[in-house]
Amino acid sequence: MAATDYIIVTGFANAYLAKKKKPTKHGHQTMSQDRRPITEGEMIGLSEFYLRNYCDEHNTDTVVITDGDKPIFKMVLIDKGKED
C-alpha cells in the first residue's frame, strides 16, 4: 500500500497508523482494522526531527505549540549538535 493510503488516528489509549476507510452511505466511519500503534520511539523521533528543523529554519532553540492563543507545551533544543 502507498503511504497516502494511511492516516494517523487517535484511539482511547494510543495513536495509530491506520488505512483510510471509504465513507459508507451513512457517512459514519470506524477505525480500520488495518492499523498499528505508533510507538513512543517513533513519536519522540518525529518530535526531535520537527524541533531540529524548526530551530534551524527560524534561528531559535524553542518551539511553542499553542491551541489558538493558549500555549499547550514548549520544546527546547538543548543539544544543538547535528545528528549523525
Side-chain angles (χ1 to χ4, degrees):
M1 289 288 167
T4 56
D5 292 337
Y6 290 83
I7 57 173
I8 295 174
V9 295
T10 54
F12 173 70
N14 210 336
Y16 298 89
L17 186 61
K19 186 175 179 184
K20 289 181 187 175
K21 289 186 76 175
K22 294 180 181 173
T24 65
K25 59 183 168 187
H26 303 293
H28 185 262
Q29 292 185 2
T30 57
M31 189 184 300
S32 172
Q33 293 300 312
D34 183 2
R35 66 176 185 262
R36 72 164 181 83
I38 299 173
T39 67
E40 183 178 289
E42 290 170 328
M43 289 184 217
I44 292 170
L46 285 171
S47 296
E48 179 186 353
F49 177 80
Y50 178 81
L51 175 62
R52 288 187 183 279
N53 283 333
Y54 183 92
C55 290
D56 281 348
E57 291 175 11
H58 296 90
N59 196 28
T60 186
D61 66 353
T62 305
V63 173
V64 178
I65 306 298
T66 63
D67 180 13
D69 294 331
K70 178 183 172 188
I72 298 172
F73 69 92
K74 174 170 62 171
M75 295 188 295
V76 179
L77 183 61
I78 295 170
D79 176 12
K80 295 178 177 75
K82 294 288 183 188
E83 295 178 34
D84 291 327

